[in-house]
Amino acid sequence: MANKKTFEDNLKELEQIVNNLEKGDVPLEEALTEFQKGVQLSGELQDTLKNAEKTLTKVMDEDGKESDFDLKDQSTEKND
């Protein structure tokens, strides 16, 4: 079983792809392959960030049930 790459590993790889493509000295076929890989990595990174955001916006209520954390509710409570 292969180890799953971390968010940081994928980000470094995407940065390297972008740097290589920005140099402009990559053959067209390789550039297209690298671009496709970069798009895939970008999608994976976005999914990871969305899942992290969902996790961070969950809170437990007094009954132990998860609910969404709403910053709007928090700010109105402080003003009351």
Side-chain angles (χ1 to χ4, degrees):
M1 183 172 148
N3 289 339
K4 185 173 169 114
K5 288 185 177 181
T6 65
F7 177 86
E8 291 78 11
D9 291 337
N10 283 338
L11 186 59
K12 284 180 187 177
E13 187 174 355
L14 179 59
E15 289 173 345
Q16 185 63 47
I17 289 170
V18 170
N19 289 335
N20 289 342
L21 292 176
E22 284 180 341
K23 289 179 187 175
D25 59 353
V26 179
L28 180 60
E29 293 82 9
E30 185 180 337
L32 289 172
T33 300
E34 289 295 299
F35 178 78
Q36 290 174 334
K37 188 173 185 177
V39 169
Q40 179 185 358
L41 283 170
S42 176
E44 291 175 16
L45 291 166
Q46 287 177 354
D47 289 344
T48 301
L49 289 174
K50 285 179 188 176
N51 289 334
E53 182 180 19
K54 286 179 186 177
T55 300
L56 291 173
T57 59
K58 297 280 184 192
V59 293
M60 299 286 255
D61 64 16
E62 297 89 28
D63 299 327
K65 296 179 184 176
E66 282 188 358
S67 61
D68 290 331
F69 182 75
D70 190 357
L71 291 174
K72 294 176 191 168
D73 289 344
Q74 297 295 320
S75 64
T76 57
E77 287 177 12
K78 290 180 181 179
N79 293 335
D80 292 339

